[in-house]
Amino acid sequence: LSSPKKKLAYLVSGNIQESQLKKKYGAKAKIKGHEDFPGKVPDTAPRVTKNLIINVQVGKQGLFEPHSVYYRPHSTGLYIPAGEVVKIISDQKYHAQKLKAQIGLHDDDLASGADHLVRIGFDLTRNFELNQDTTRIYSPYGGLLMVNISDTTKLKSISLKVIGAVNAPYFKLGVTDDSTWNQTIKNYPAPWAELATDKIVFVVSAERIKQLKNPTALMKFYDQVMDADADLRMIDRKRLYPERIIVDQQVAFGALFTTPAKIVAPNDDESTGIMLNKEQIETKGSWGIFHELGHRHQFHDLDFDGLGEVTVNLYSMYVYDQLLNLGKYHNQDNIPSRAGVMEKIKQYMRSKPSYDKFKQNPWIALSMYIEIIEHFGWEPIKSANKVYANLPKNQYPKTNEEKIDLWFKTISHVSKTDLSDFFKIWQIPVSASAIAVVKDKNYPVWLPEELMEFNK
């Protein structure tokens, strides 16, 4: 798919193929290639009838979230085989709620961006509104069954009956025990599995969990990671909904990526293999996974230009430092050690620093934050995050200059320090009016030792 013309041709041919198959086979249509991804369900796998009670987890936490009205997926522990009709029976009281059954979670349009595909490149999800007593659902690809619920609903739980689906490996912390998991659940025949808590959900290939013997310990660890992120972001550890990490055979953007609705990770040993290995991730960590979870907690509307790949790394550093007790410096190529960072800062300061250069180098920009953390600890960052979290939307800065001023005034106030010289040396353009506000407080002026020689 090396040209726009070829990409368009692929997308058009896919739509035509599905339309023709649907016309010929109806709901029993199966797209060629589904056997490889998302995967085939054995013909001998039992088709089951399940009465589901789904606890509703929706709402807004002020994080990097989809705009309302968003229908948040809720797991069922069931899989819909490709080309098979499954029935969902719902009570009439739910019909006005616009609940949706979703088949599959891999919704990225890979063909538009990739020059080479290793799996079907279309959106593999299918949605059906549950607005009648019995709804027939089906997909030419198959996939995990989700129930999507509006983030504005007042419902606390939902009861549904599903007829004809297949059991999928599904672990829920506090509900599933390791013994049942090992004896039965992890051997269910669906090609995709889920590991869940009230704070985080992993959607992974079933092959990846066959050797997982202690999911309780693994998912308790991830709850601790989520709690660490909540502590730095200054939100309640009890989350309104879980973050969802979806493993994919082909990732649409970069190594991993984050959107308001999900995190996507590659199905490889470096990412997913480490992610599911408690001993390895607890002793060595995973900068990539911690980084993507950090994106979910950034103040995207308040950070000034150049911070998109900067403040996110504070969350990786915080997890390494405060949860794993491994210290802050765990990206060997970019922040190898305290001494290494300080030397890089000096080299940068000797090469005519500017705000443009700052915006172009996220690791240098992160070093400015590291200097604050090294001297003051994590508390000023937390306190500043609290100020940001409590800021009413109608008081959000409208320009980049106002965003810079907000950060300067906030971090100066919470640290009770005049940071005007610090920002000046870093060439971050703070307005004269913002500097005057801080000067009026008569805070002590602070500069880290490594910047003293550049204070001219």
Side-chain angles (χ1 to χ4, degrees):
L1 304 179
S2 56
S3 69
K5 187 176 180 180
K6 289 182 178 180
K7 294 179 193 296
L8 179 61
Y10 178 84
L11 291 170
V12 171
S13 66
N15 290 333
I16 293 173
Q17 180 190 16
E18 183 171 344
S19 178
Q20 290 175 339
L21 286 171
K22 191 172 182 180
K23 186 175 181 180
K24 185 175 182 179
Y25 298 106
K28 295 183 179 181
K30 300 179 185 180
I31 294 293
K32 182 180 179 181
H34 83 274
E35 303 90 344
D36 298 318
F37 192 95
K40 179 176 172 56
V41 175
D43 294 336
T44 56
R47 273 55 176 173
V48 302
T49 296
K50 282 281 184 78
N51 291 308
L52 303 176
I53 299 177
I54 300 172
N55 293 321
V56 177
Q57 288 186 281
V58 298
K60 295 290 187 183
Q61 298 178 142
L63 302 180
F64 182 40
E65 296 163 326
H67 295 296
S68 290
V69 174
Y70 172 65
Y71 288 82
R72 189 166 293 280
H74 289 63
S75 304
T76 65
L78 295 171
Y79 194 92
I80 311 300
E84 296 188 20
V85 175
V86 170
K87 295 179 182 178
I88 298 181
I89 299 173
S90 60
D91 193 287
Q92 190 171 1
K93 66 183 179 182
Y94 299 133
H95 294 174
Q97 294 286 331
K98 297 185 178 180
L99 305 177
K100 304 177 192 302
Q102 177 174 312
I103 303 174
L105 283 157
H106 297 96
D107 59 0
D108 291 319
D109 173 13
L110 300 179
S112 293
D115 291 337
H116 174 71
L117 295 175
V118 299
R119 69 158 176 88
I120 300 172
F122 312 117
D123 176 353
L124 304 184
T125 64
R126 293 295 180 269
N127 288 273
F128 300 81
E129 192 161 324
L130 301 178
N131 57 3
Q132 49 194 338
D133 294 344
T134 301
T135 305
R136 299 167 74 252
I137 67 170
Y138 46 87
S139 165
Y141 306 104
L144 288 167
L145 173 62
M146 300 287 127
V147 176
N148 295 354
I149 304 171
S150 164
D151 59 8
T152 60
T153 187
K154 302 298 182 185
L155 293 172
K156 301 299 181 185
S157 66
I158 293 169
S159 299
L160 300 170
K161 186 175 186 177
V162 180
I163 303 171
V166 171
N167 280 321
Y170 176 66
F171 175 89
K172 180 65 183 287
L173 185 65
V175 176
T176 315
D177 62 78
D178 287 350
S179 176
T180 307
W181 167 261
N182 285 300
Q183 292 175 15
T184 309
I185 296 175
K186 76 177 182 182
N187 298 312
Y188 283 156
W192 285 86
E194 288 184 286
L195 305 169
T197 79
D198 285 337
K199 302 175 182 183
I200 191 168
V201 180
F202 294 107
V203 180
V204 298
S205 164
E207 287 301 314
R208 287 280 178 186
I209 53 87
K210 297 301 184 186
Q211 304 304 315
L212 180 59
K213 296 180 179 179
N214 193 351
T216 296
L218 177 70
M219 299 313 290
K220 281 184 175 178
F221 169 76
Y222 278 107
D223 268 3
Q224 291 179 309
V225 173
M226 299 305 290
D227 288 347
D229 283 347
D231 291 349
L232 183 58
R233 183 52 163 73
M234 297 297 282
I235 61 171
D236 197 321
R237 286 186 170 189
K238 185 178 181 180
R239 292 175 180 259
L240 297 178
Y241 57 83
E243 300 294 346
R244 189 174 292 272
I245 298 181
I246 301 171
V247 171
D248 201 329
Q249 199 64 33
Q250 184 167 0
V251 176
F253 310 102
L256 303 91
F257 73 90
T258 300
T259 73
K262 65 185 179 181
I263 295 170
V264 178
N267 188 20
D268 59 22
D269 292 339
E270 184 176 346
S271 294
T272 304
I274 293 174
M275 185 172 74
L276 299 180
N277 186 323
K278 176 180 178 291
E279 288 71 27
Q280 189 166 1
I281 198 166
E282 195 172 37
T283 56
K284 296 182 179 179
S286 170
W287 188 276
I289 295 298
F290 299 159
H291 174 98
E292 296 305 325
L293 287 170
H295 274 309
R296 305 290 303 118
H297 296 82
Q298 283 177 283
F299 291 96
H300 292 274
D301 293 333
L302 295 175
D303 279 346
F304 57 86
D305 291 351
L307 296 184
E309 290 298 328
V310 179
T311 53
V312 57
N313 286 321
L314 296 175
Y315 292 90
S316 296
M317 291 174 61
Y318 189 80
V319 171
Y320 273 105
D321 189 32
Q322 298 294 299
L323 176 59
L324 305 186
N325 296 312
L326 295 174
K328 297 181 282 290
Y329 301 99
H330 278 273
N331 190 299
Q332 290 302 311
D333 293 333
N334 299 292
I335 51 170
S337 63
R338 184 185 187 283
V341 169
M342 299 309 151
E343 181 56 35
K344 287 188 176 186
I345 290 172
K346 289 182 178 180
Q347 291 175 4
Y348 173 72
M349 291 299 168
R350 291 170 186 144
S351 63
K352 296 182 179 179
S354 69
Y355 181 43
D356 283 340
K357 289 182 179 179
F358 178 95
K359 290 188 291 185
Q360 293 166 9
N361 190 330
W363 297 105
I364 281 296
L366 180 64
S367 299
M368 184 181 183
Y369 286 79
I370 289 174
E371 287 182 306
I372 292 172
I373 295 164
E374 282 290 351
H375 184 79
F376 298 100
W378 287 103
E379 287 309 310
I381 304 296
K382 289 183 177 181
S383 298
N385 285 347
K386 187 69 171 177
V387 172
Y388 274 34
N390 291 336
L391 189 67
K393 291 271 189 182
N394 60 8
Q395 294 181 26
Y396 274 24
K398 295 179 175 61
T399 66
N400 192 56
E401 181 184 76
E402 289 177 350
K403 291 178 181 180
I404 292 173
D405 284 354
L406 175 65
W407 176 242
F408 168 72
K409 290 186 290 184
T410 302
I411 195 64
S412 293
H413 288 325
V414 297
S415 65
K416 297 188 181 333
T417 307
D418 181 346
L419 296 175
S420 54
D421 287 351
F422 181 62
F423 274 67
K424 181 181 72 173
I425 291 173
W426 274 98
Q427 295 292 305
I428 308 301
V430 181
S431 71
S433 60
I435 292 173
V437 169
V438 170
K439 290 291 185 186
D440 283 347
K441 297 292 184 179
N442 292 316
Y443 294 140
V445 175
W446 173 76
L447 272 181
E449 183 178 346
E450 63 274 6
L451 293 186
M452 293 293 188
E453 64 182 281
F454 306 103
N455 188 25
K456 300 174 182 178

